[in-house]
Amino acid sequence: MTDPEFSTMSSRQRWLAPAKINLFLHVVGRRPDGYHLLQSVFESIDWFDELIFDRTSVPGLVRQGDLLSPESEDLAFRAAKALQQTPSWKKAGKPGAVITVTKTIPAGAGLGGGSSDAATTLMGLNTLWQLGLSQQELAEIGLTLGADVPFFLVGQSAFAQGVGENLQPLESRPRWVVVGVPSCPVATGPIFQAPELTRNSKPLKIADFAQFALDPVWDFGHNDLEPVTRARFPEVDQVLRWFSKAAEGEKIAPAAVRMSGSGGAVFCTAPSKEAAERLKSQVEMLKADAQKNGQGPVLRHLRICQTIPTQSGQGESLVGF
């Protein structure tokens, strides 16, 4: 329910915040401050949260809809608060907003839903409030919210380095991908802090893998976090096994099956939509067989997606909505 103190103006915009997958994730070192040095390729997929922004005549903020954490910890709310610290916001007359989020991207899955919501809030309110901030300025704000946030502001597939903030656009192609999310949410911090985590993968150049971005099935590289996560979360290990067996039946390279981010989402790229549909059906059958044998719920979500090599980064005006 919107606070009655907020008088919503007719200006309203609807934005979609996409999920992402890490096509690979190599840990190549560690900084003295404890942050890990990474190399990864980020690609957006067509699995979206929906954000609606209503401009208000007073400077406050209301965050409503699906809220998975206290408002002060919510990344969309924090992104809006960060914009209200900028000189541009003051010059624009200190506008406020009602932010309504409808979530479909599962949390704790390595799909970047919270970071995408934050980036989408930065872009949406920058437009709605007419702040005129550049992509670079938004990225600098985004990095204070999370290492993945700048990627969602780039608007295309990217090679990420550093802690994830050093981004190079990557020419890619739309590809079919089956995504499975285990029933267990996975917290990122403990995975990175695990003593058994490999932190010495060989650094790469973009030329080392650029050709793979144009292939329908991605089977380059690996995810250094995957062995740690699957050892600590049996559900992730089980879903990886199901995907591997299904991929084998489709004669898809075993390396095409991997985990995204710190998990627990598992994905497999497929050479065609038909192959993706068969792959999904095979995983569903393996899940059903396990449940017949008394295994509890292991798989929370299973869906076919497409990667999004480039995005328009534009919202939809809903004036008088």
Side-chain angles (χ1 to χ4, degrees):
M1 196 74 165
T2 303
D3 191 316
E5 170 186 11
F6 283 73
S7 174
T8 304
M9 300 169 64
S10 60
S11 185
R12 166 179 276 197
Q13 290 191 351
R14 170 181 176 267
W15 289 66
L16 295 178
K20 61 83 180 166
I21 53 175
N22 298 85
L23 294 180
F24 68 83
L25 201 166
H26 298 177
V27 183
V28 298
R30 197 173 191 177
R31 300 192 318 197
D33 61 6
Y35 281 92
H36 289 79
L37 298 173
L38 310 175
Q39 289 190 322
S40 184
V41 166
F42 290 113
E43 285 209 317
S44 297
I45 58 175
D46 59 352
W47 190 344
F48 303 99
D49 288 344
E50 179 191 71
L51 287 83
I52 293 178
F53 303 102
D54 288 292
R55 180 175 175 135
T56 63
S57 57
V58 292
L61 295 168
V62 168
R63 165 69 169 84
Q64 60 186 21
D66 299 328
L67 192 63
L68 304 183
S69 60
E71 188 177 74
S72 60
E73 299 175 14
D74 177 75
L75 283 174
F77 183 82
R78 289 175 56 201
K81 291 289 288 184
L83 285 177
Q84 289 189 329
Q85 307 305 310
T86 64
S88 296
W89 175 74
K90 295 175 183 176
K91 290 179 182 178
K94 299 183 178 180
V98 176
I99 304 168
T100 306
V101 181
T102 302
K103 291 200 66 65
T104 68
I105 303 170
L111 296 174
S115 294
S116 186
D117 293 348
T120 302
T121 299
L122 292 176
M123 291 187 289
L125 293 183
N126 185 47
T127 301
L128 189 69
W129 289 343
Q130 299 181 349
L131 303 183
L133 295 172
S134 67
Q135 180 181 302
Q136 180 59 37
E137 289 172 312
L138 293 178
E140 290 172 1
I141 296 171
L143 187 58
T144 67
L145 302 169
D148 289 352
V149 177
F151 160 70
F152 290 104
L153 296 164
V154 169
Q156 82 175 85
S157 303
F159 176 41
Q161 300 186 85
V163 297
E165 84 292 358
N166 183 350
L167 297 164
Q168 294 175 258
L170 177 68
E171 183 182 357
S172 186
R173 59 166 289 172
R175 73 189 87 221
W176 294 99
V177 57
V178 182
V179 184
V181 180
S183 57
C184 57
V186 176
T188 300
I191 302 302
F192 273 105
Q193 294 161 12
E196 68 270 29
L197 175 64
T198 299
R199 299 178 171 89
N200 59 353
S201 284
K202 181 181 177 181
L204 300 168
K205 297 179 181 178
I206 199 168
D208 295 330
F209 56 83
Q211 68 184 53
F212 291 87
L214 302 177
D215 294 335
V217 174
W218 180 280
D219 58 1
F220 176 88
H222 57 273
N223 185 340
D224 279 325
L225 306 182
E226 185 177 304
V228 178
T229 302
R230 71 188 302 175
R232 296 184 175 205
F233 294 90
E235 298 95 331
V236 176
D237 180 69
Q238 180 66 79
V239 174
L240 278 162
R241 291 177 185 275
W242 287 344
F243 267 66
S244 295
K245 188 170 182 178
E248 182 181 3
E250 282 296 313
K251 296 182 168 53
I252 296 173
V257 175
R258 61 188 63 188
M259 191 181 76
S260 180
S262 58
V266 171
F267 69 91
C268 180
T269 48
S272 65
K273 182 180 181 181
E274 293 74 20
E277 290 171 343
R278 291 192 299 268
L279 186 70
K280 179 175 179 284
S281 295
Q282 286 296 313
V283 174
E284 287 173 334
M285 290 175 59
L286 291 166
K287 172 189 173 184
D289 289 344
Q291 289 179 332
K292 286 179 184 176
N293 293 326
Q295 189 170 21
V298 171
L299 193 57
R300 215 179 354 154
H301 301 278
L302 181 65
R303 63 193 294 168
I304 297 171
C305 298
Q306 269 194 300
T307 59
I308 311 171
T310 58
Q311 302 170 60
S312 64
Q314 296 297 317
E316 173 189 6
S317 293
L318 299 174
V319 179
F321 187 80

